[in-house]
C-alpha cells in the first residue's frame, strides 16, 4: 500500500485519512487542496491501483505493485502550471464572451413567451434581455459583474453560456424595503416566490449545488428562508433528493428554515400551476373568466406565502 500512496503523491493527489480498497474515493489535490478534485482506487488485492487529478489527467493513471518505473512519471509541475494557466485564460475568455453577448441583446420590454407560460409579466425582471433568436437572457452575477448567462428559450429549454463558470453566480429579484430574503434554485421559482410574498427579495442560484455557495457569499441580515426544489422523482430513482439536500445545507449555513412544495412537479412554480389547474377544473365552465382566475391565483399565492413565512428565521450571526 505504501507504494500506491507514493504513486498518488507523485501525481499530485493528497491521500485520504482512510483508504478503502475496491472503491473509488474522491480526494483533495495539490492543485485544488480545498476541493476533492481527484480520485483514487486501490484494487481489493492491493496489487493494482488508479489515480486521476481531473485538472491534469485526461484519464486515470494505473499503478502496479512491484512494477519497475511505477513512479517514473513524477509530478510535472510545469505542465500543471501551464494547464492551470490555460484553464484560467479559457475561463476569462468565456466570461468576456458572456458579457459581450449580453451587451448585444435587446432589453426585455414586453411579455416573453416563457414568462407568459409561467403566468408572469415583466415585474421582477430588471436587467433581463432577449437575444436575436428570441430567447430570454438572465445575467448571472457576482459582486455586480456578469460571470455567465442563462439563456431560456420560449419552450423552457435552458442553457448556460459555454465555458463560463456558474459557481457563486446569482440573480437577485430585488424589492425596495424587503424584510425577507429568499434563496431559490431556478428563475421561475424565484419569480413565483417574489409574487407570492410581497415583502420578499429573491436570490436565484440557478442550480441546487450553487445554493450553499451563494447563501454563504450573500449572507443577509434579518429574516431569510431557502425555497427548495423537491426532487422527489429523482429520489425515487437514485435514493437522493438533491434539491432538498443542497437547500438544507444552505439553510444550515444561515440558521434558517427550508420551504419546499409537495406537488406533482418539483418546484414552487409547479405548485402554483398544478393548484391553479385543479381549482380551475373544479369551476363550472361559465365561471372560468379572468376575474375568477385572478382570485384563484391570489388564493394560491396566499398558500405559498404561508408555507414560506412559516420557515423564515432570523439569520444566525457569524
Amino acid at each position: 500500500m505504501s507504494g500506491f500512496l507514493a504513486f498518488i503523491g507523485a501525481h499530485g493527489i493528497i491521500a485520504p485519512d482512510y483508504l478503502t480498497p475496491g472503491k473509488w474515493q474522491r480526494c483533495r489535490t495539490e492543485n485544488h487542496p480545498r476541493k476533492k478534485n481527484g480520485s483514487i482506487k486501490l484494487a481489493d488485492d492491493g496489487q493494482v491501483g488508479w489515480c486521476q487529478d481531473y485538472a491534469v489527467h485526461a484519464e486515470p493513471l494505473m499503478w502496479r505493485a512491484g512494477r519497475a518505473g511505477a513512479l517514473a512519471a513524477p509530478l510535472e509541475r510545469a505542465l500543471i502550471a501551464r494547464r492551470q494557466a490555460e484553464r484560467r485564460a479559457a475561463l476569462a475568455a468565456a466570461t468576456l464572451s458572456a458579457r459581450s453577448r449580453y451587451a448585444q441583446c435587446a432589453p426585455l420590454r414586453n411579455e416573453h413567451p416563457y414568462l407568459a407560460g409561467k403566468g408572469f409579466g415583466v415585474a421582477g425582471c430588471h436587467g433581463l434581455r432577449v437575444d436575436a433568436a428570441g430567447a430570454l437572457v438572465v445575467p448571472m452575477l457576482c459582486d455586480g459583474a456578469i460571470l455567465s448567462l442563462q439563456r431560456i428559450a420560449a419552450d423552457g429549454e435552458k442553457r448556460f453560456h459555454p465555458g463560463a463558470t456558474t459557481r457563486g453566480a446569482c440573480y437577485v429579484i430585488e424589492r425596495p424595503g424587503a424584510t425577507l430574503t429568499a434563496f431559490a434554485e431556478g428563475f421561475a421559482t424565484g419569480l413565483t416566490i417574489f409574487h407570492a410574498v410581497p415583502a420578499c427579495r429573491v436570490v436565484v442560484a440557478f442550480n441546487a449545488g450553487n445554493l450553499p455557495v451563494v447563501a454563504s457569499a450573500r449572507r443577509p441580515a434579518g429574516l431569510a428562508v431557502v425555497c427548495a426544489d423537491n426532487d422527489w422523482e429523482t429520489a425515487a430513482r437514485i435514493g437522493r433528493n438533491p434539491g432538498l439536500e443542497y437547500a438544507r445545507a444552505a439553510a444550515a449555513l444561515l440558521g434558517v428554515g427550508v420551504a419546499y412544495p409537495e406537488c406533482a412537479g418539483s418546484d414552487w412554480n409547479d405548485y402554483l400551476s398544478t393548484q391553479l389547474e385543479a381549482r380551475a377544473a373544479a369551476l363550472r365552465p361559465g365561471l372560468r373568466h379572468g376575474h375568477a382566475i385572478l382570485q384563484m391565483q391570489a388564493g394560491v399565492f396566499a398558500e405559498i406565502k404561508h408555507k414560506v413565512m412559516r420557515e423564515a428565521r432570523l439569520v444566525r450571526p457569524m
Side-chain angles (χ1 to χ4, degrees):
M1 186 178 295
S2 60
F4 179 61
L5 294 176
F7 174 77
I8 66 173
H11 289 284
I13 308 291
I14 299 172
D17 294 333
Y18 300 97
L19 196 60
T20 307
K23 294 184 178 180
W24 281 101
Q25 293 176 258
R26 295 299 295 264
C27 304
R28 294 178 295 123
T29 66
E30 291 189 10
N31 290 323
H32 298 285
R34 295 183 180 180
K35 294 170 34 178
K36 292 187 176 181
N37 207 42
S39 288
I40 63 170
K41 180 180 179 181
L42 181 66
D44 287 323
D45 61 6
Q47 299 301 300
V48 182
W50 299 265
C51 75
Q52 184 174 11
D53 178 344
Y54 297 113
V56 178
H57 310 127
E59 56 187 30
L61 307 178
M62 179 182 285
W63 168 85
R64 289 186 182 278
R67 188 178 68 179
L71 301 180
L75 179 63
E76 298 183 25
R77 299 188 182 276
L79 173 61
I80 291 174
R82 185 170 70 250
R83 289 184 176 176
Q84 286 180 321
E86 290 170 353
R87 291 180 66 196
R88 286 193 295 268
L91 183 59
T95 301
L96 291 175
S97 172
R99 293 171 183 173
S100 175
R101 177 71 176 271
Y102 179 77
Q104 294 167 11
C105 297
L108 174 67
R109 299 191 186 281
N110 302 304
E111 240 183 33
H112 187 273
Y114 173 75
L115 296 174
K118 295 293 184 180
F120 302 121
V122 297
C125 297
H126 177 74
L128 268 63
R129 298 195 172 186
V130 179
D131 68 13
L136 195 64
V137 177
V138 186
M140 302 174 64
L141 304 119
C142 182
D143 296 328
I146 290 176
L147 292 186
S148 187
L149 305 172
Q150 186 178 56
R151 181 181 182 275
I152 309 177
D155 63 1
E157 181 187 23
K158 300 178 182 70
R159 291 185 181 275
F160 294 125
H161 193 77
T165 186
T166 61
R167 183 176 174 81
C170 65
Y171 174 80
V172 181
I173 308 175
E174 190 57 82
R175 172 179 274 123
T179 57
L180 170 70
T181 301
F183 292 86
E185 190 173 324
F187 181 65
T189 298
L191 277 180
T192 303
I193 301 301
F194 178 80
H195 285 281
V197 186
C200 183
R201 75 170 58 82
V202 183
V203 181
V204 177
F206 296 100
N207 62 67
N210 209 27
L211 273 172
V213 181
V214 171
S216 179
R218 294 191 59 90
R219 190 181 190 90
L223 286 170
V225 63
V226 180
C227 298
D229 283 13
N230 181 5
D231 298 324
W232 60 272
E233 290 181 302
T234 303
R237 192 169 63 251
I238 67 171
R240 290 179 56 242
N241 189 321
L244 287 182
E245 284 182 17
Y246 285 108
R248 285 168 176 156
L253 290 170
L254 303 177
V256 303
V258 176
Y260 62 90
E262 293 180 283
C263 61
S266 63
D267 62 41
W268 283 107
N269 189 259
D270 293 331
Y271 181 89
L272 173 64
S273 61
T274 54
Q275 288 294 313
L276 287 176
E277 287 170 8
R279 295 181 187 203
L283 285 177
R284 294 196 304 272
L287 296 178
R288 296 175 190 173
H289 50 73
H291 182 65
I293 297 298
L294 288 176
Q295 283 185 318
M296 287 191 298
Q297 186 181 62
V300 180
F301 278 156
E303 286 184 12
I304 294 172
K305 177 185 175 182
H306 174 73
K307 293 174 184 293
V308 169
M309 294 304 298
R310 190 172 57 193
E311 300 299 333
R313 306 283 188 277
L314 284 171
V315 174
R316 183 177 57 235
M318 289 288 286

